[in-house]
Amino acid sequence: MTRETTPTARPRKRLLAAVLLLAALASGCGKPGTPPPKGPQPSALPTYQVRDASSITGSPTLDAARSRGHLVVGAKEDQPYLGQKNPATGEYSGFDIEIAKMVGAYLGFPPERIQFKTIASANRETALQNGQVDYYVGTYTINDNRKKLVGFAGPYFIAGQSLLVRKNDNSIHGPQDLDGKKVCSAAGSTPYQRIQSQFPKAKLIGYDTYSACVDNLITNQVDAVTTDNAILLGYAAKVPDELKVVGPPFSVEPYGIGVPKNDTVLRNAINDALEYNEQNGDWRRAFEATLGLSGEPAPTPPPIDRY
Ligand code: GLU
């Protein structure tokens, strides 16, 4: 009797390993059987003092939120340390979520009166234009093209584009090595657009989310995932034996808070909120309890651009 060491045995084994890894990623844990990496510790998170914001008048967005009784804030739900939704409780956590909460408190809304709504990179401008969200906090780069469609408060953080590859890959060190490689990013994002225009020999693949790209990287269907270093570090930290971030960042991505284009009152108030929290130390505390867990020391917050 021949043993079943047929050519299918190996791929099947590899498939099983990939399935286990994906399950571990989905459940928010590291490798099966290992303790989960440190997540945001609720006790380390600041409590933002809710202000009386009745002196802020003339913002149609804020007026609508006040009569509705709660804010609706757009966010990401699959970006570790930045914006992540707990599938069991529906709760959102991460640095972007803390930024959204500190701004909410400054505008008079306690966290229980903020409803988060997941919006993918490609749909942010439409969501703000259609009034689906009051403001958006989700690794959202400020740039002139987007400013034609929406307004931006901030920046509140500066990231840079980088690359995530499999740990055993020694062929990719930077974007110059992407010729002929399958590279995945989120449609509608600045990293996607940069690869398309500056590295046209890469085989670019667009998905709605970066987590879909990471799944494809783990199962060998793409060779690299590209987006901001802050996002990639979170994925790498979840499966450090399988994935690594390579090369220095090759762009500047200033993160802003998206608001409806003509609501200048709201944009100014959010800028005030950011400055207030940067000065009182809550911005730093929020960073250290969230994104800081990926190993990055808290930077000095960038100056607010009141354009
Ligand atoms: N910061 C980049 C952007 O706004 C990439 C991250 C994202 O897609 O949210 O397009």
Side-chain angles (χ1 to χ4, degrees):
M1 198 177 108
T2 48
R3 281 207 309 142
E4 239 215 334
T5 49
T6 58
T8 56
R10 246 170 188 280
R12 227 184 259 158
K13 218 173 168 188
R14 232 182 276 152
L15 185 69
L16 179 68
V19 168
L20 284 174
L21 248 169
L22 288 181
L25 267 179
S27 70
C29 302
K31 273 186 132 184
T34 58
K38 263 182 38 202
Q41 304 293 312
S43 58
L45 292 171
T47 313
Y48 313 104
Q49 208 192 331
V50 180
R51 280 186 352 125
D52 170 9
S54 53
S55 62
I56 306 172
T57 57
S59 159
T61 314
L62 204 49
D63 288 347
R66 283 169 176 154
S67 48
R68 193 193 301 129
H70 64 269
L71 284 167
V72 182
V73 177
K76 293 288 181 68
E77 66 169 33
D78 63 339
Q79 299 185 172
Y81 303 126
L82 285 156
Q84 202 168 23
K85 185 177 174 179
N86 179 327
T89 64
E91 261 177 54
Y92 287 72
S93 65
F95 185 55
D96 282 336
I97 304 304
E98 291 307 306
I99 295 287
K101 286 180 179 170
M102 65 179 76
V103 166
Y106 192 90
L107 300 175
F109 292 83
E112 61 277 12
R113 282 172 60 205
I114 301 177
Q115 185 198 319
F116 287 99
K117 204 178 199 158
T118 301
I119 306 281
S121 294
N123 303 330
R124 295 182 280 210
E125 290 80 27
T126 343
L128 285 163
Q129 287 172 322
N130 296 346
Q132 281 169 265
V133 298
D134 298 322
Y135 55 90
Y136 185 94
V137 196
T139 59
Y140 196 11
T141 295
I142 304 171
N143 67 29
D144 288 344
N145 270 341
R146 289 174 176 169
K147 274 188 191 167
K148 290 177 192 151
L149 305 170
V150 301
F152 283 105
Y156 61 89
F157 182 73
I158 310 280
Q161 184 169 355
S162 202
L163 295 167
L164 182 73
V165 298
R166 285 181 293 276
K167 191 97 184 233
N168 60 7
D169 184 314
N170 291 316
S171 64
I172 302 172
H173 307 283
Q176 70 282 355
D177 300 326
L178 294 176
D179 289 8
K181 302 275 190 189
K182 288 186 188 159
V183 185
C184 190
S185 194
S189 70
T190 48
Y192 181 96
Q193 289 157 4
R194 191 166 293 106
I195 297 296
Q196 198 170 36
S197 62
Q198 293 180 19
F199 302 95
K201 287 184 181 158
K203 291 181 187 155
L204 183 59
I205 295 157
Y207 283 109
D208 281 352
T209 63
Y210 299 110
S211 52
C213 286
V214 174
D215 290 350
N216 279 273
L217 179 64
I218 290 169
T219 53
N220 294 304
Q221 292 173 77
V222 301
D223 304 305
V225 178
T226 188
T227 185
D228 305 333
N229 51 355
I231 302 173
L232 297 178
L233 284 170
Y235 293 122
K238 283 197 161 187
V239 278
D241 296 345
E242 305 293 329
L243 303 176
K244 63 183 177 188
V245 178
V246 289
F250 51 97
S251 77
V252 178
E253 309 287 332
Y255 286 175
I257 299 179
V259 296
K261 185 166 191 264
N262 295 319
D263 200 333
T264 315
V265 171
L266 180 63
R267 177 152 59 86
N268 287 335
I270 296 181
N271 281 330
D272 293 343
L274 290 171
E275 275 177 354
Y276 176 79
N277 283 278
E278 286 168 9
Q279 278 156 22
N280 74 10
D282 279 349
W283 182 96
R284 168 179 283 268
R285 278 185 279 278
F287 182 94
E288 283 168 352
T290 55
L291 196 49
L293 299 176
S294 70
E296 290 285 296
T300 306
I304 302 294
D305 177 19
R306 293 180 187 261
Y307 63 89

